[in-house]
Amino acid sequence: MGKAPPALPGPYNRRVSVTSIRLFGDPVLRTPADPVTSYDKELRRLVKDLTDTMLDAAGAGLAAPQLGVSLRVFSYHVDDEIGHLINPVVDLIGDEEQDGEEGCLSLPGLYFDTKRHLHVVAKGMNMHGEPISIEGSELMARCVQHETDHLDGVLFLDRLDTETRRTALRAIRAAEWNGEHVPAVKVSPHGPFAFGGARALR
Ligand SMILES: [Zn+2]
């Protein structure tokens, strides 16, 4: 997810494992990710890559598919709290919603009002295979929903109302990064299905 406080100083801003972020149009972003089954060195490396890349890009969260890895892992940096969650299961708490600007590191520079639940609880594992849970409201809740969506091949664009989605599509077509690093993908102007299988996904 885009937009976050600046990266913390000290050990958190090391750039050693920063890798490039996949952009909208890359099929990996539209592919449901696989559950993690091995809590090994490779997974710890992935968590580090996610965390370092997220901090380098000043994002509030980053999901593994955004690094081209189709596994159910994301990192977050919200309210000075840095962490990660593996195989998340999200419970939407209550009926209250929030509406506010949301962005995605795979659609650089684009922000649109996106409705989300106000409170969530997410349960999962840490990189050592120990059960953990995150309880959050507002930005944390938004981040958890945004990143978990990534693991299902869903983008925040899919959560926009019809009118806003139309505006978003125009902005994507005009974005200077569109068509870079990925094969050219046709974007249909005819409604939400443009984001379905044809793009098979940030
Ligand atoms: Zn995103």
Side-chain angles (χ1 to χ4, degrees):
M1 195 170 124
K3 281 210 161 177
L8 297 180
Y12 293 116
N13 67 5
R14 279 176 303 175
R15 296 181 174 218
V16 287
S17 64
V18 168
T19 56
S20 60
I21 296 173
R22 301 298 180 95
L23 295 175
F24 179 79
D26 191 316
V28 73
L29 296 177
R30 285 303 195 187
T31 306
D34 295 322
V36 168
T37 53
S38 308
Y39 293 82
D40 53 11
K41 200 176 153 190
E42 216 170 302
L43 178 68
R44 291 194 293 276
R45 171 73 197 212
L46 173 61
V47 169
K48 181 168 170 41
D49 282 351
L50 282 168
T51 307
D52 288 353
T53 306
M54 170 188 70
L55 295 175
D56 186 68
L62 190 65
Q66 295 181 276
L67 295 184
V69 179
S70 202
L71 285 174
R72 302 187 75 80
V73 186
F74 71 81
S75 61
Y76 62 88
H77 180 203
V78 176
D79 300 333
D80 286 340
E81 198 182 326
I82 294 172
H84 65 277
L85 193 60
I86 295 163
N87 297 342
V89 177
V90 177
D91 270 334
L92 305 171
I93 307 299
D95 295 326
E96 276 180 283
E97 291 189 322
Q98 55 178 325
D99 200 0
E101 230 180 28
E102 189 166 316
C104 181
L105 294 174
S106 296
L107 291 103
L110 302 182
Y111 300 92
F112 299 98
D113 283 349
T114 311
K115 265 200 183 121
R116 296 285 188 182
H117 265 75
L118 185 58
H119 307 288
V120 302
V121 173
K123 290 180 182 148
M125 299 286 185
N126 66 16
M127 63 183 162
H128 307 293
E130 298 156 353
I132 54 172
S133 73
I134 303 171
E135 198 172 340
S137 299
E138 299 178 357
L139 183 58
M140 181 61 103
R142 182 177 289 282
C143 175
V144 164
Q145 290 167 85
H146 180 110
E147 302 309 332
T148 307
D149 270 355
H150 271 303
L151 307 183
D152 295 326
V154 172
L155 296 178
F156 83 112
L157 297 171
D158 306 327
R159 304 289 186 189
L160 303 178
D161 61 51
T162 309
E163 187 67 19
T164 312
R165 191 186 292 110
R166 223 170 262 146
T167 307
L169 281 169
R170 278 197 295 274
I172 289 167
R173 277 195 295 268
E176 58 179 21
W177 50 260
N178 191 21
E180 279 182 30
H181 314 302
V182 292
V185 178
K186 284 180 194 161
V187 177
S188 162
H190 305 299
F193 297 111
F195 292 103
R199 280 228 179 219
L201 211 238
R202 135 197 208 193

